[in-house]
Amino acid sequence: MARANDAVAAALEEYAELFAMTGGDAFRVRSYQKAAKAIAGFPEDIAATAVRSVPGVGEAIAKKVEEYLERGGFRQLDDLREKVPEGVRRLTRIPSLGPKKAVFLFQELGVDSPEALAEAIGQGRLRGVKGFGPKTEENLLKGIEQLERTSARVHVGVAMDLAERIVASLPAERIAYAGSLRRMKDTVGDIDILAVGPVSMMDDFKAMPYVAEVIASGEKKTSVRTHEGLQVDLRVVPAGSWGAAMQYFTGSKEHNVHLREIVVKKGWKLSEYGLFDGDRVVAAEHEEDVYRALGMPWIPPTLREDGGEIAAALRDALPVLVTEDDLRGDLHTHTDLTDGIASLEDMVAAAHARGHSYYAVTDHAPDLAMQRMTLDKALEQRERLQRLQASYPDMRLLHGTELNIAPDGSVDWPAEVLAGFDVCVASVHSHFTQSREEMTRRFVAACENPHVHIIGHPTTRRIGRRPPVDADWDEVFRAAARTGTAMEIDSFPDRSDLPSDLVRLAHHHGVRFSIDSDAHAVPHLANQRFGIGIAQRAWLTADDVINAWPLERLLTFLGR
Ligand SMILES: [Zn+2]
Ligand SMILES: [Zn+2]
């Protein structure tokens, strides 16, 4: 089962947001945000520890957390949710509209959602309202449109946490998530849950604390919107058609269309209830059987995008995809020496508990000025790491750094300093808007630096917050392949960087990859599973991934 920490942190974050919207004291807002961060980063399951032992959690917050753990909510949050409907919170996500104006529109004009705001503008109800001129109206309409296009999607980390909570919360004989989440897309628009169990489950579902609004409800399907603004569809399916339903609702649409062509050629029918030859059931209970009956092995959900997987399956030539079990280490992680929140000792112990056979600590380098890194600090850390090594005979500790690629492609330290590190990750952390030519030259120069092993989070995108940089990726990947520089798949779910389409492109150029957590806290180490999702969607095998290699092969790659 999922740890309770993320759910608790999300509730505190939400409370902080609502508290701020309703004119709450900024100092207290920050203390709730800080507590949320500390709990999310706390290594143990908060449901099994004393909440008060988490640094930054005082008595008032601890009480709320305890109530949340008991019943999935706390009174003050319930009150604010009532005061500020979910639609009003979506209003604040319109780029040109702040929280104060959103609350004003709700209280003065009854505008309770972006849709209601568009309507109010259309009806001229904002005319003459102080602070809302014609220019503002125009901007708001543009903002609403933009919101509709993007904000219904959340990154895979948010969706996965929610889906796992839902799956754990319902009294089903069998329950699983399907849809784009099962395919491990990096953003998810809605969550599809399939279940076998009593119809009464629908009532349980509607009453769950994560539900903000019931959109539609029937015996077979119930749709709700959660407090995150995400739509969740719960379908109760017959036990005998479980496999067909999973196949159908996992998609993608394009994959299923292609599959149906094969079905039709056989004169059969495929639906969410099964694969049928007239009235005869060919396959229904097991997903594997559906594929087998069509002359192919089971296709992993991460490949189901109609990107050649059906043809490969028919030839029995599907790749043996890299899995989380294949990973033997992590090559990009941080500690509290820079912007991490856990100590070196705690991070290393947690990495060891994950069963890694090697682990690199790569704190930030000096050019990221706010991290106040110095060579002395780095060398001191190296000594500490070497001393720690004695306690971990079966895990090789690597001392690394995350360098900053300057606008001209150079990095923080001269060659002789770089040579002292076991692993150098080099990343772009500034000057994101350089021209395509400049950015391409910048990456190529970093690849050509013989001390740089890995390009960290290459596109620098933050999902929903920062667009990817513009570069000629073909040229960058050619340089990476030529120089033996690995491209990173940064597994942090709001980065998911490289994204799977660029991984696939890089793979064509012969590039190797490093699937890293970029952890800044102990729980982040588990994010590697999202990187695995990206790698699988790009058809990678274990041989393509340097941190799936045995230690000796990795050390050769690193020139050690
Ligand atoms: Zn970075
Ligand atoms: Zn990093």
Side-chain angles (χ1 to χ4, degrees):
M1 204 190 122
R3 291 172 357 124
N5 300 40
D6 290 344
V8 169
L12 289 176
E13 284 274 7
E14 184 186 348
Y15 182 67
E17 184 193 348
L18 292 171
F19 192 62
M21 281 179 74
T22 49
D25 166 57
F27 177 76
R28 278 178 63 197
V29 170
R30 266 198 306 281
S31 73
Y32 281 104
Q33 288 166 335
K34 268 192 202 154
K37 226 177 157 180
I39 288 171
F42 197 65
E44 282 139 61
D45 189 340
I46 199 77
T49 27
V51 181
R52 287 167 184 77
S53 64
V54 180
V57 175
E59 187 55 31
I61 296 178
K63 277 213 177 105
K64 294 185 177 70
V65 172
E66 281 162 358
E67 192 181 339
Y68 183 90
L69 289 171
E70 223 179 276
R71 61 172 192 90
F74 53 89
R75 186 178 50 80
Q76 295 85 345
L77 179 60
D78 296 344
D79 290 351
L80 285 184
R81 277 175 175 172
E82 208 147 290
K83 249 195 200 158
V84 187
E86 191 267 333
V88 179
R89 294 174 56 204
R90 280 192 289 131
L91 273 179
T92 64
R93 292 179 199 130
I94 299 172
S96 50
L97 195 74
K100 292 243 163 67
K101 275 189 171 172
V103 171
F104 171 84
L105 285 171
F106 174 56
Q107 286 173 347
E108 299 301 313
L109 299 173
V111 169
D112 61 0
S113 67
E115 300 79 47
L117 178 58
E119 206 178 289
I121 293 172
Q123 293 165 344
R125 285 169 54 209
L126 260 60
R127 292 288 148 76
V129 178
K130 206 173 150 242
F132 291 91
K135 187 77 205 151
T136 315
E137 288 188 359
E138 202 181 299
N139 284 336
L140 285 175
L141 285 175
K142 261 190 219 148
I144 292 167
E145 228 175 80
Q146 201 181 323
L147 187 72
E148 277 167 356
R149 263 182 283 125
T150 58
S151 80
R153 303 190 75 83
V154 297
H155 67 67
V156 59
V158 171
M160 185 65 84
D161 174 54
L162 181 62
E164 287 182 340
R165 266 191 283 149
I166 295 169
V167 163
S169 71
L170 295 172
E173 287 160 37
R174 197 163 187 185
I175 185 163
Y177 56 82
S180 53
L181 184 60
R182 186 167 178 236
R183 302 199 315 276
M184 294 297 280
K185 280 199 72 168
D186 51 21
T187 62
V188 170
D190 47 38
I191 295 178
D192 297 287
I193 308 273
L194 302 187
V196 174
V199 178
S200 62
M201 200 172 15
M202 294 302 193
D203 292 326
D204 298 322
F205 180 50
K206 285 184 278 185
M208 284 295 165
Y210 45 73
V211 172
E213 178 197 350
V214 177
I215 300 166
S217 180
E219 282 194 357
K220 285 184 183 165
K221 179 185 165 191
T222 294
S223 300
V224 304
R225 198 180 308 283
T226 69
H227 293 293
E228 291 88 350
L230 210 60
Q231 182 171 331
V232 182
D233 296 340
L234 171 66
R235 288 185 173 83
V236 174
V237 305
S241 11
W242 175 260
M246 283 299 281
Q247 198 290 318
Y248 185 88
F249 289 110
T250 295
S252 68
K253 210 167 157 194
E254 293 75 14
H255 172 86
N256 285 354
V257 165
H258 192 159
L259 207 62
R260 208 156 307 133
E261 284 168 16
I262 297 168
V263 172
V264 168
K265 269 191 203 138
K266 287 185 177 288
W268 294 351
K269 279 207 174 79
L270 178 61
S271 73
E272 59 195 276
Y273 297 106
L275 181 60
F276 299 95
D277 176 8
D279 289 336
R280 184 177 70 91
V281 180
V282 178
E285 198 180 341
H286 304 287
E287 197 179 44
E288 291 83 349
D289 295 345
V290 174
Y291 285 98
R292 204 171 302 133
L294 297 173
M296 60 187 101
W298 177 79
I299 298 179
T302 42
L303 293 186
R304 299 183 197 170
E305 300 292 341
D306 196 25
E309 75 280 7
I310 291 176
L314 286 170
R315 282 185 281 117
D316 202 14
L318 286 174
V320 180
L321 297 176
V322 61
T323 67
E324 204 177 351
D325 283 344
D326 292 326
L327 293 183
R328 296 168 191 251
D330 198 335
L331 299 176
H332 178 179
T333 69
H334 298 273
T335 74
D336 59 6
L337 183 61
T338 55
D339 57 352
I341 65 170
S343 67
L344 180 70
E345 289 74 14
D346 286 352
M347 290 301 279
V348 168
H352 186 254
R354 289 181 62 74
H356 284 328
S357 49
Y358 43 85
Y359 181 73
V361 174
T362 58
D363 271 313
H364 289 287
D367 289 354
L368 203 61
M370 59 187 174
Q371 304 299 342
R372 301 170 188 277
M373 189 52 154
T374 63
L375 183 55
D376 283 347
K377 284 190 193 174
L379 296 178
E380 239 171 76
Q381 184 185 54
R382 187 174 301 166
E383 273 174 35
R384 271 170 75 196
L385 198 72
Q386 280 160 356
R387 282 197 297 274
L388 262 181
Q389 179 68 78
S391 314
Y392 297 96
D394 56 348
M395 182 172 78
R396 176 68 169 267
L397 296 176
L398 300 167
H399 191 235
T401 179
E402 183 180 7
L403 301 163
N404 303 285
I405 308 176
D408 65 358
S410 65
V411 296
D412 311 60
W413 279 309
E416 61 272 22
V417 172
L418 298 180
F421 287 100
D422 297 317
V423 183
C424 291
V425 178
S427 312
V428 165
H429 289 126
S430 68
H431 302 83
F432 303 110
T433 54
Q434 277 184 316
S435 72
R436 189 184 178 89
E437 291 70 29
E438 288 169 319
M439 192 61 84
T440 304
R441 269 203 299 277
R442 185 178 182 182
F443 279 120
V444 169
C447 288
E448 284 172 345
N449 185 326
H451 297 287
V452 169
H453 302 109
I454 300 166
I455 302 294
H457 48 71
T459 79
T460 81
R461 71 169 180 168
R462 303 298 290 270
I463 293 173
R465 284 194 286 160
R466 184 167 66 216
V469 295
D470 189 18
D472 180 345
W473 293 111
D474 278 300
E475 197 172 329
V476 173
F477 297 152
R478 268 196 294 272
R482 175 165 44 82
T483 57
T485 309
M487 283 285 148
E488 183 175 63
I489 297 175
D490 187 311
S491 307
F492 224 94
D494 74 340
R495 287 192 182 271
S496 293
D497 188 8
L498 291 172
S500 59
D501 53 341
L502 287 180
V503 174
R504 214 170 171 187
L505 178 64
H507 189 214
H508 282 302
H509 285 289
V511 172
R512 308 281 199 188
F513 303 88
S514 185
I515 301 177
D516 302 322
S517 68
D518 196 357
H520 286 67
V522 166
H524 299 163
L525 292 170
N527 284 343
Q528 274 181 317
R529 68 167 167 160
F530 299 120
I532 285 289
I534 296 169
Q536 291 193 347
R537 289 176 58 79
W539 296 52
L540 296 194
T541 66
D543 190 54
D544 300 315
V545 178
I546 63 170
N547 57 325
W549 295 351
L551 176 64
E552 287 310 316
R553 186 174 176 199
L554 176 76
L555 292 178
T556 306
F557 176 89
L558 297 174
R560 292 278 138 190

